[in-house]
Structure formats: structure tokens, C-alpha cells
Amino acid sequence: DVKVTQSSRYLVKRTGEKVFLECVQDMDHENMFWYRQDPGLGLRLIYFSYDVKMKEKGDIPEGYSVSREKKERFSLILESASTNQTSMYLCASSLNQVAHEQYFGPGTRLTVT
Amino acid sequence: GQQVMQIPQYQHVQEGEDFTTYCNSSTTLSNIQWYKQRPGGHPVFLIQLVKSGEVKKQKRLTFQFGEAKKNSSLHITATQTTDVGTYFCARGGSQGNLIFGKGTKLSVKP
């Protein structure tokens, strides 16, 4: 079974702090994704990566950056957290660009105060 | 553009009633996927449809892909409380990404 893990289930940070959200998958997947999920807005793609050191902007990349130094790990960085970044953050992975089925991690609920 | 519209946004049913959610696109889809997210959980892949007119069944769930490959539906027969959650459709993007609909939230009254 594919396993996608995220570093924290719940996180509380202060405005202006730098925040790191970590995601690890154990199935040698090429693609990894970061989404945020807000009530009424569904899943919105922040960034994705289809290879080590590669990244692509999703629909809402502003205020975020990512890092993929190793194939199994994809990090989401909030350079200076703001209250409007309070949300549920979901990481996902998929085998490659052809097989689109995505496997999601349990999510990190981030609160910025 | 590439968005997929999903209706209804919410559906409340009595246990035992049927439920259907619809996913519509203005452009032809290469494939459509369906996911279920239980309350407090994360989305879990249910199925992928690829062929025009395709119908697939998983127990009480029936998935259809339209003949024109612009719409899809998920039908649940005789809902149970275990069916509660949000159902998302998603279309494939050009780089292995997915574009999700906003989901249909199903509640089931016992």
C-alpha cells in the first residue's frame, strides 16, 4: 500500500513565522502535490513537482514555496505566515504523469494567529 | 476553461434513499476520477473512467462517463450511514496534475 505521511496533523503558528510542512511518500512516486482545502472552495492546488528539484505552480502559489531535494520528500514553505493561510493542507503523490490516481496524506490543519 | 462543475453542493438523504452527484465539463475529458473524503479524513481514490459511455460498478456505487466525455455521474443505491462524506470528481491536467470539482457533501439521516 502507498503511504503518504505528513509531519504534523495540527500546527499553530504566529503571523510572520516561517512554516515548513513536510510530506514523505514511500512508493517511489514521481509526482507530488500540495493542496489546501477550505470550506466551499474544494481542493486547490498550490504547487506540484514531477521530479527531484522540479516544481510547477498550481492555481494559488502566492505566499508559498516548495522544495524537492529527494524523490520521496516534498516540502511546502510559508515564508511569512499570514492569517489567511489558516487552512487544511493536503499532500498527495502519484506514480507518474500518465497514471493520475493520487494518494493523499492525512493532512495538516494549520492555524495562523 | 479546465474547470469541472459538480452538482449539487450538498445533499441530505434518508438512509435507504438513492443519491447521485454530477460532474460537468465544457471541454472533452480524457478521463475522470472520483474520490471520497470521509469527515475528518483525506480524499481516497474510488475509480477512474476513460472510455466514452463507460459504466463501472462498485457494490452500491455506479459510475458513468458520458458519451461525449463531457460529464460523469456517481450514483449510490440505498445509501447507508457509511456513505457519509464529500465526493469529488477530478479531471486530468496536462502535467499529471488533477483539477478537482468542489465536491458534493452527502449526509445520511438514519
Side-chain angles (χ1 to χ4, degrees):
Chain A
D1 278 352
V2 176
K3 192 164 185 181
V4 180
T5 57
Q6 294 183 229
S7 49
S8 307
R9 288 302 304 271
Y10 300 94
L11 208 53
V12 179
K13 294 291 181 180
R14 293 189 182 276
T15 300
E17 279 193 85
K18 191 168 185 176
V19 182
F20 292 87
L21 302 182
E22 305 284 340
C23 175
V24 177
Q25 49 92 6
D26 66 357
M27 284 300 291
D28 203 35
H29 282 180
E30 292 182 3
N31 289 9
M32 296 188 75
F33 308 84
W34 275 107
Y35 296 89
R36 64 176 283 177
Q37 185 173 30
D38 302 287
L41 297 178
L43 289 157
R44 293 183 291 168
L45 182 62
I46 305 171
Y47 267 99
F48 65 103
S49 168
Y50 51 86
D51 202 354
V52 174
K53 297 192 185 294
M54 303 299 288
K55 61 182 180 183
E56 292 289 336
K57 292 181 179 179
D59 300 318
I60 52 164
E62 295 78 19
Y64 303 94
S65 62
V66 290
S67 172
R68 193 162 180 206
E69 296 296 318
K70 293 184 177 181
K71 192 174 184 179
E72 67 271 18
R73 189 179 297 270
F74 192 34
S75 303
L76 180 69
I77 304 151
L78 287 66
E79 294 289 341
S80 177
S82 63
T83 54
N84 63 13
Q85 292 178 310
T86 292
S87 187
M88 171 66 82
Y89 289 88
L90 289 160
C91 174
S93 72
S94 67
L95 182 61
N96 54 39
Q97 291 191 45
V98 176
H100 289 179
E101 174 185 346
Q102 290 190 10
Y103 297 84
F104 284 81
T108 296
R109 184 163 294 282
L110 173 66
T111 302
V112 183
T113 62
Chain B
Q2 291 192 12
Q3 299 299 318
V4 284
M5 303 301 297
Q6 205 172 339
I7 54 171
Q9 190 175 358
Y10 301 96
Q11 187 78 57
H12 310 282
V13 300
Q14 191 78 34
E15 190 173 20
E17 291 182 342
D18 292 356
F19 159 77
T20 306
T21 174
Y22 300 90
C23 188
N24 299 301
S25 170
S26 59
T27 57
T28 303
L29 305 168
S30 57
N31 62 69
I32 193 84
Q33 296 184 15
W34 286 92
Y35 290 77
K36 176 184 178 181
Q37 183 176 22
R38 295 180 185 273
H42 57 275
V44 174
F45 174 80
L46 293 176
I47 208 159
Q48 176 170 282
L49 305 172
V50 178
K51 298 177 184 176
S52 168
E54 190 169 16
V55 178
K56 287 189 176 180
K57 292 193 175 186
Q58 291 179 352
K59 297 183 180 178
R60 294 177 295 103
L61 277 61
T62 302
F63 304 85
Q64 289 189 304
F65 203 7
E67 293 289 342
K69 299 183 75 173
K70 288 186 175 182
N71 55 72
S72 180
S73 65
L74 158 59
H75 179 83
I76 303 178
T77 304
T79 54
Q80 300 175 359
T81 54
T82 52
D83 295 324
V84 164
T86 302
Y87 293 85
F88 294 96
C89 65
R91 66 174 294 168
S94 57
Q95 291 179 285
N97 57 311
L98 286 176
I99 300 161
F100 283 83
K102 292 188 177 179
T104 297
K105 188 173 183 178
L106 172 65
S107 60
V108 179
K109 188 175 181 181

